[in-house]
């Protein structure tokens, strides 16, 4: 079960509770989307404040509403358990099969991605917000990427590629996931989602699941930008100014992203989230106690390798999509 599916289940559960008379009709005043977040305590996958938001419009205590919703949610397929926490939060734990479904869905999204545009600059990219559309990745340009990242995050511009730089870690994690996939193909095996139980895997999976909400908010908070033709023209003008000692090409490029890009808080939140995903991925693959994604030595590929490879590829899909949405390239190799 993906976060979007869980949101739909929560709304459906609310409607059923109203139809049965357990909750008053005034509960329908709630917006059509519910919020999910990572619980600050415990091992639940998601927490929802839906009952807290319903309390003022229904006149019922939040915990009472939460109990009504909990009893119904616990019967839903894909949900392992639901607990009422604090003043009325719903802490939801998904069945482990839901993690497998999430990875499988991300792998399918990667298969549907549009072709790379590294050599195709003559046409405008598709709208990333359009249904069924996958925005093509941007051509690699380290200086433009660094400038764009600084503009989004408020950090000083840095062209260094080292572990202390969040953007480098994100792009490295993306390229690392691709390298693992290429290594697996060379060894003759493919990714296959499996059973994820290790803490490093569950931490990464939770972050991947959270991505949908952040990218939706970033997509809703966009501003129009010129296509590749305008971008190329901007680069040419910037190169001319650079020769005369004026502003650099990269500084101009940030004013001309390739398409509509998120701005403000949504872009910053997505940038921070991608950093967390990258760090969790690097812990999953490179920590001292990490299990290998690829077989070592004379080992033969096993189900565990296929499962970890699937998670690595799914992470690469999320990182590439997030970087592209921010107007930053997702290099295949670093």
């Amino acid at each position: 079960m993906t976060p979007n599916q869980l949101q739909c289940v929560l709304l459906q559960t609310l409607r059923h509770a109203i139809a049965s008379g357990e909750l008053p009709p005034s509960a329908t005043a709630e917006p059509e989307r519910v919020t999910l977040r990572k619980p600050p305590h415990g091992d639940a996958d998601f927490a929802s404040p839906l009952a807290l938001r319903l309390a003022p419009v229904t006149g019922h205590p939040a915990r009472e509403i939460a109990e009504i919703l909990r009893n119904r949610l616990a019967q839903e397929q894909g949900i392992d358990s639901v607990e009422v926490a604090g003043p009325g939060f719903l802490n939801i734990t998904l069945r482990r099969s839901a993690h497998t479904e999430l990875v499988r869905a991300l792998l399918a999204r990667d298969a549907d991605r549009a072709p790379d545009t590294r050599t195709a600059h003559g046409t405008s990219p598709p709208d990333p917000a359009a249904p069924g559309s996958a925005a093509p990745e941007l051509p690699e340009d380290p200086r433009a990427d660094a400038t764009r990242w600084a503009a989004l995050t408020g950090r000083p511009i840095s062209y260094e590629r080292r572990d202390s730089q969040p953007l480098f870690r994100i792009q490295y994690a993306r390229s690392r996931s691709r390298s693992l996939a290429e290594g697996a193909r060379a060894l003759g095996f493919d990714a296959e989602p499996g059973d994820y139980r290790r803490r490093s895997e569950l931490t990464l999976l939770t972050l991947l699941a959270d991505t949908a909400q952040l990218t939706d908010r970033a997509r809703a908070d966009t501003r129009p930008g010129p296509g590749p033709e305008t971008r190329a023209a901007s680069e040419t003008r910037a190169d001319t100014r650079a020769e005369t000692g004026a502003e650099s090409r990269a500084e101009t490029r940030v004013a001309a992203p390739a398409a509509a890009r998120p701005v403000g808080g949504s872009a910053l939140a997505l940038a921070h989230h991608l950093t967390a995903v990258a760090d969790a991925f690097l812990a999953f693959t490179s920590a001292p106690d990490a299990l290998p994604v690829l077989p070592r030595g004379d080992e033969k590929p096993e189900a565990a390798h296929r499962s970890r490879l699937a998670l690595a590829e799914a992470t690469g899909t999320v990182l590439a999509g997030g970087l592209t949405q921010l107007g930053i390239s997702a290099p295949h190799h670093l």
Side-chain angles (χ1 to χ4, degrees), residues 45-228:
D45 295 306
F46 297 102
S48 173
L50 179 59
L52 294 169
R53 293 165 59 184
L54 289 170
V57 298
T58 63
H60 289 250
R63 284 191 64 90
E64 178 183 315
I65 297 172
E67 285 292 347
I68 293 172
L69 298 176
R70 185 194 71 80
N71 293 334
R72 288 181 168 273
L73 284 171
Q75 302 174 36
E76 293 287 339
Q77 291 186 354
I79 294 179
D80 186 61
S81 64
V82 183
E83 297 179 354
V84 177
F89 286 99
L90 289 165
N91 284 1
I92 303 167
T93 301
L94 302 179
R95 291 180 181 168
R96 292 307 166 220
S97 60
H99 294 143
T100 302
E101 294 169 10
L102 171 63
V103 174
R104 199 179 301 281
L106 289 171
L107 293 179
R109 183 189 306 175
D110 187 50
D112 292 339
R113 284 190 65 83
D116 195 300
T117 58
R118 296 181 195 291
T119 59
H121 298 295
T123 58
S124 298
D127 178 5
S133 174
E137 296 170 15
L138 299 172
E140 184 177 354
D141 188 331
R143 291 184 63 83
D145 289 345
T147 307
R148 175 70 176 161
W149 180 264
L152 291 170
T153 63
R155 295 171 59 96
I157 296 176
S158 174
Y159 304 118
E160 295 181 339
R161 290 190 167 187
R162 57 173 61 185
D163 290 346
S164 61
Q165 300 299 324
L167 177 58
F168 170 76
R169 297 201 303 276
I170 296 171
Q171 291 181 320
Y172 173 74
R174 147 65 174 170
S175 66
R176 175 64 176 153
S177 71
R178 190 173 183 88
S179 175
L180 290 169
E182 292 173 350
R185 305 297 180 269
L187 292 172
F189 75 97
D190 294 318
E192 180 59 39
D195 188 20
Y196 300 103
R197 296 180 179 274
R198 290 173 61 86
R199 180 167 294 277
S200 61
E201 296 170 344
L202 297 178
T203 298
L204 181 54
L205 282 161
T206 299
L207 289 167
L208 296 183
D210 287 344
T211 305
Q213 293 185 82
L214 288 164
T215 54
D216 283 350
R217 285 200 293 268
R219 187 175 291 116
D221 185 15
T222 59
R223 62 183 174 191

Side-chain angles (χ1 to χ4, degrees), residues 4 26 47 94 111 123 184 326:
N4 284 340
S26 58
L94 302 179
T123 58
L326 291 177

